[in-house]
């Protein structure tokens, strides 16, 4: 048994803090959480004065198979699956080095995310626990079609969904609206599917007890995803052809339904704001803040892997994304909750991870300082445990992001 003692322990639940606390871990499982001494003395004690121990961070939206820099459609033919898998492994290593112990990969090709997920679980590769959506379901030539999940009508949609589930997908991803990075695809403010078609995806996922993540920028796409009963709405940016136009009535409906929204607030916000203009980015972020005011259950997720106008969104910029939430007026305790317990719940793994509680998986981090006081202290990683295994024996080889 290992006992990790620190100046404070954040359990992840609504800002709960145990001063001078400790977490006891046996193998891959947390066996107790409480004040100093509560676990007894029968274990190896790691004492971390001046530190905070908290649940490992959860990134609810990543793309390990994007390389944050090259046109993905071109790369599809230029890069072998073998090479891509190695790069995904390196992205996974960077992600865990930023304190992320669970990541939901919302789209990639060739079921490589499943191979990487399983390799990490076997200890063959270093990374967070991965929840893999595999091929996103999209229309022929639609957003991210090159990942192999094209389907135009309900039978085809069910077929792709079932194939993904047969391969071992942990969730399904559906592109309800167009997007920004697929040449020739419908733009973000155009719908690709209607409510009935999305409901078919939700039905198929439910047969295996899985949830659906819906990519939705356009108002009608957000509404359809909500009506179809998806688990999480991704982006939810209220985009029109002429920019962001927040819809308070729609946000109220989302809040009332309890549907989670991952607004993909990322660490390259400021650089993209410089590139594309303050007006657009400020409107987007004020929409995120307005959803919070409306009571929408927001979660942290970075969409890492994409690049826009030469600005790459790297996998290790997770904390920089949390700092953007802080800039938008979110409190630090709330941000920690969005990044841990609430994101885990949204991704369907809240019973397993996301909080420090006896019986949960030993996914935790220790940072110097106090993230409730200064969210940037989440960068000061001393320890990362994934299923009770330290990412390195001598402390974390933190890949300091180029961002923030
Ligand atoms: Zn994405």
């Amino acid at each position: 048994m290992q006992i990790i003692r620190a100046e404070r322990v954040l359990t992840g639940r609504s800002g709960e803090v145990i001063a001078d606390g400790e977490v006891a871990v046996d193998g891959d499982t947390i066996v107790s959480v409480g004040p100093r001494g509560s676990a007894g003395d029968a274990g190896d004690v790691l004492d971390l004065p001046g530190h905070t121990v908290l649940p490992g961070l959860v990134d609810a939206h990543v793309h390990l198979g994007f390389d944050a820099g090259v046109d993905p459609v071109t790369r599809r033919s230029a890069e072998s699956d073998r090479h891509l898998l190695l790069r995904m492994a390196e992205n996974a290593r960077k992600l865990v080095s930023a304190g992320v112990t669970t990541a939901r990969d919302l789209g990639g090709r060739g079921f490589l995310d499943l191979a990487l997920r399983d390799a990490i679980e076997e200890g063959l590769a270093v990374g967070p626990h991965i929840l893999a959506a595999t091929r996103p379901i999209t229309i022929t030539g639609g957003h991210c079609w090159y990942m192999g999940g094209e389907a135009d009508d309900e039978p085809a949609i069910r077929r792709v969904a079932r194939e993904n589930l047969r391969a071992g997908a942990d969730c399904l991803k559906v592109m309800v609206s167009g997007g920004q990075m697929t040449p020739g695809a419908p733009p973000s403010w155009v719908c690709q599917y209607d409510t009935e078609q999305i409901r078919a995806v939700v039905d198929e996922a439910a047969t295996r007890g899985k949830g659906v993540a819906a990519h939705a920028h356009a108002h009608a796409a957000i509404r359809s995803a909500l009506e179809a009963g998806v688990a999480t709405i991704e982006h939810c940016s209220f985009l029109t052809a002429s920019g962001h136009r927040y819809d308070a009535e729609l946000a109220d409906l989302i809040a009332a339904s309890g549907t989670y929204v991952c607004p993909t607030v990322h660490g390259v916000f400021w650089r993209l704001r410089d590139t594309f203009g303050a007006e657009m980015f400020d409107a987007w972020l004020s929409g995120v803040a307005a959803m919070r005011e409306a009571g929408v259950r927001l979660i942290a997720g970075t969409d890492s892997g994409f690049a826009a106008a030469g600005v790459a969104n790297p996998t290790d910029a997770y904390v920089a994304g949390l700092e953007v939430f802080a800039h938008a007026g979110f409190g630090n305790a709330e941000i920690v909750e969005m990044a841990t317990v609430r994101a885990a719940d949204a991704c369907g793994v809240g019973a397993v991870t996301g909080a420090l509680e006896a019986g949960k998986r030993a996914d935790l981090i220790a940072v110097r300082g106090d993230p409730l006081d200064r969210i940037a202290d989440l960068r000061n990683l001393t320890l990362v445990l994934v299923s009770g295994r330290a990412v390195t024996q001598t402390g974390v080889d933190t890949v300091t992001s180029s961002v923030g």
Side-chain angles (χ1 to χ4, degrees):
M1 191 165 77
Q2 46 180 332
I3 298 171
I4 301 140
R5 287 191 180 138
E7 196 168 314
R8 65 195 70 75
V9 173
L10 310 186
T11 64
R13 298 253 174 234
S14 13
E16 187 186 4
V17 182
I18 301 169
D20 201 14
E22 66 187 28
V23 180
V25 172
D26 190 11
D28 60 1
T29 306
I30 297 170
V31 290
S32 74
V33 181
R36 173 182 288 263
S38 56
D41 292 323
D44 301 326
V45 176
L46 177 63
D47 210 338
L48 296 170
H51 279 69
T52 303
V53 171
L54 68 155
L57 305 171
V58 179
D59 193 330
H61 190 139
V62 302
H63 298 278
L64 294 171
F66 287 1
D67 73 341
V70 180
D71 167 20
V73 182
T74 308
R75 183 165 270 282
R76 174 175 178 260
S77 47
E79 183 175 37
S80 71
D81 280 1
R82 295 180 292 279
H83 189 274
L84 176 55
L85 185 55
L86 289 169
R87 200 153 46 71
M88 290 169 72
E90 171 60 7
N91 281 337
R93 190 190 67 80
K94 286 180 178 167
L95 193 53
V96 79
S97 79
V100 174
T101 59
T102 299
R104 191 172 57 156
D105 192 314
L106 287 185
R109 76 178 205 225
F111 301 117
L112 300 177
D113 43 2
L114 300 176
L116 179 60
R117 175 196 69 187
D118 295 347
I120 290 169
E121 296 302 323
E122 289 170 43
L124 296 175
V126 175
H129 295 288
I130 290 174
L131 301 163
T134 73
R135 306 170 305 176
I137 300 169
T138 191
I139 61 169
T140 300
H143 185 52
C144 293
W145 64 268
Y146 51 86
M147 293 175 184
E150 290 170 301
D152 293 322
D153 56 16
E154 194 180 313
I157 288 168
R158 290 187 185 275
R159 174 96 200 161
V160 173
R162 289 172 189 182
E163 287 171 353
N164 286 356
L165 293 163
R166 180 180 63 191
D170 299 296
C171 59
L172 296 176
K173 170 85 175 290
V174 58
M175 302 300 198
V176 185
S177 72
Q180 274 123 351
M181 51 181 300
T182 307
S188 301
W189 53 88
V190 171
C191 283
Q192 299 196 147
Y193 292 124
D194 63 25
T195 305
E196 283 312 304
Q197 290 169 321
I198 305 159
R199 198 167 276 141
V201 181
V202 172
D203 284 351
E204 292 298 335
T207 64
R208 313 297 203 282
K210 312 290 187 192
V212 172
H215 161 105
H217 287 289
H219 291 71
I222 295 167
R223 190 178 290 271
S224 283
L226 181 66
E227 287 171 359
V230 303
T232 64
I233 301 173
E234 306 300 309
H235 312 301
C236 199
S237 55
F238 303 100
L239 254 186
T240 70
S242 56
H244 296 275
R245 188 167 48 76
Y246 183 68
D247 182 337
E249 184 242 324
L250 185 50
D252 286 344
L253 287 175
I254 300 170
S257 73
T259 306
Y260 292 96
V261 169
C262 178
T264 55
V265 171
H266 50 65
V268 289
F269 177 85
W270 299 108
R271 291 175 65 194
L272 289 177
R273 184 177 179 270
D274 286 346
T275 306
F276 291 98
E279 194 185 341
M280 178 178 158
F281 274 76
D282 292 349
W284 169 48
L285 196 59
S286 67
V288 174
M291 279 192 277
R292 169 179 179 255
E293 289 299 312
V296 174
R297 296 204 283 183
L298 297 167
I299 58 171
T302 58
D303 208 2
S304 69
F306 78 76
V311 177
N313 179 15
T315 49
D316 52 355
Y318 183 85
V319 176
L322 300 185
E323 288 168 336
V324 176
F325 280 116
H327 173 82
F330 291 66
N332 291 349
E334 182 181 9
I335 292 170
V336 168
E337 190 175 331
M338 290 162 62
T340 58
V341 62
R342 203 191 298 170
D345 284 343
C347 294
V349 290
V352 179
T353 191
L356 300 184
E357 289 168 12
K360 287 221 162 52
R361 200 165 61 197
D363 299 334
L364 62 83
I365 62 174
V367 298
R368 215 174 346 97
D370 181 4
L372 293 186
D373 189 39
R374 223 176 66 99
I375 204 74
D377 284 351
L378 289 173
R379 297 171 193 276
N380 307 334
L381 285 164
T382 298
L383 177 73
V384 177
L385 290 190
V386 180
S387 282
R389 290 190 302 231
V391 169
T392 71
Q393 297 301 316
T394 53
V396 179
D397 172 23
T398 304
V399 179
T400 311
S401 172
S402 52
V403 181

